[in-house]
């Protein structure tokens, strides 16, 4: 993995241009996630967080996930900007992606829009579009 900045081409973004602290913005694109050959999320309502040297992180409304897919776990972690993160397993038709989603139940003030959203580790599900 390279840690040096590569100039983006027209229409591209560079993670090295993302700010610190991270920027939170609405995302109006369409996102669909599959697990065990089932659509577990289909939404046009999301946020993305842009943080220096990291790819964008998409936060998705909990209410847009298929009922019963999100199963809370006991795991937590801490982000100096967003606060305490909680984790969820994703489960559909007997298949479980352990701790594949995380979110901020009580995010810090500057990230209040992240309440009632989660982000998903793409490599732990079948597909993300």
């Amino acid at each position: 993995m390279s840690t040096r900045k590569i100039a983006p081409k027209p229409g591209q973004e560079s993670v090295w241009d993302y700010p610190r602290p991270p920027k939170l913005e609405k995302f109006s694109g369409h996102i669909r996630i599959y697990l065990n050959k089932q659509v577990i999320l289909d939404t046009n309502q999301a946020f993305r967080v842009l943080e220096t040297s990291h790819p964008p992180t998409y936060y998705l409304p909990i209410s847009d996930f298929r009922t019963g897919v999100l199963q809370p776990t006991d795991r937590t972690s801490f982000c100096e900007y967003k606060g305490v993160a909680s984790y969820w397993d994703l489960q559909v038709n007997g298949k479980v992606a352990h701790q594949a989603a995380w979110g901020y139940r009580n995010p810090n003030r500057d990230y209040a829009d992240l309440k009632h959203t989660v982000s998903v580790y793409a490599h732990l599900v079948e597909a993300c579009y």
Side-chain angles (χ1 to χ4, degrees):
M1 180 173 105
S2 176
T3 57
R4 67 178 180 84
K5 182 176 179 176
I6 298 170
K9 295 177 182 171
Q12 292 182 327
E13 298 176 340
S14 170
V15 297
W16 297 106
D17 292 332
Y18 293 162
R20 195 152 180 87
K23 177 182 179 183
L24 173 65
E25 65 182 24
K26 278 191 136 323
F27 177 72
S28 61
H30 184 205
I31 298 176
R32 189 170 41 248
I33 299 176
Y34 289 81
L35 180 64
N36 202 16
K37 298 181 172 74
Q38 301 289 314
V39 175
I40 62 168
L41 172 105
D42 192 334
T43 189
N44 290 313
Q45 303 294 315
F47 291 94
R48 70 180 195 154
V49 172
L50 309 175
E51 183 172 1
T52 306
S53 82
H54 295 276
T57 305
Y58 294 86
Y59 287 85
L60 315 158
I62 289 173
S63 60
D64 287 356
F65 278 82
R66 185 172 157 177
T67 302
V69 166
L70 290 167
Q71 302 295 318
T73 73
D74 292 334
R75 181 180 173 198
T76 62
S77 63
F78 179 75
C79 170
E80 65 183 304
Y81 300 110
K82 296 179 279 300
V84 176
S86 298
Y87 290 76
W88 286 261
D89 291 341
L90 300 175
Q91 180 177 304
V92 64
N93 294 339
K95 180 163 180 128
V96 179
H98 295 283
Q99 298 178 10
W102 77 96
Y104 300 89
R105 291 184 171 142
N106 294 297
N108 292 335
R109 182 187 57 212
D110 292 341
Y111 299 91
D113 286 337
L114 295 182
K115 190 170 187 161
H116 307 297
T117 68
V118 297
S119 190
V120 172
Y121 290 111
H123 69 283
L124 296 178
V125 297
E126 195 171 292
C128 296
Y129 299 100

